[in-house]
Amino acid sequence: MRDLKYKIKQIIFDADDTLWENNIYYVQASNDFFDLIEEGGFPREDIIKAFDDLELKVVRERGYGSHNFVYILEELFRQFTKRSKNPLDRQRLEEIIRRFKAHPVNKPNLFEQVIETLKYLNHHYHLFILTKGEYNEQEGKIIRAGVADLVEKYFILPEKNDRAYLKLIEENGWKPEETCMVGNSPKSDINPALRAGMYAIYIPYTDTWKLDDEPIEDENGKLLVVERFSDLKNIF
Ligand SMILES: [Mg+2]
């Protein structure tokens, strides 16, 4: 795929866990929460099961975003408190939530050389960001990360599925074979982009959210895998 450099006109970037760390805050808060409930005498696997079930339901019904995650913690705390013989530590729950809530408000922790790489790429390509989640929260992160001016436009959608990619291609007049998606999520970035006929560059991340993970299906040889974001400079 040496000629990718000349074929591609627009590059679209996922944001969370592609440009900056994100899921790590969710993992940390979940683990702290599991510790807290476990100390109330509940088996950890039961807590994790209850968490996974509710998370799936909430994502389907309410979508993504940190508010919905906080709702899950509060709701589970309420449910386990009802079942617990001893009172659970409400103050610790509030502390976990307080720490978690700081992450979308603070400047995102960008991966190495993201800014330099975007600056390099935007000389030759049309760059875009495509992220899913709650609009204001995602926009805030894009702006505070300092990447808003390095792309032509950012798209914040409730979901990144096949329909979303096809609509984006059509509305923007992009040719899929001239378009490349870059991201960490097989489910939201790589597979739907490949199915839409685009090229895709997968940058695996150790802590990809399990609801964003699935096996990659590259049937047309349009997938590249790189280790880090700055490797894009060697492709384009
Ligand atoms: Mg991502």
Side-chain angles (χ1 to χ4, degrees), residues 14 16-18 184-185 189:
D14 168 52
D16 290 339
D17 295 324
T18 294
N184 74 297
S185 163
D189 306 322

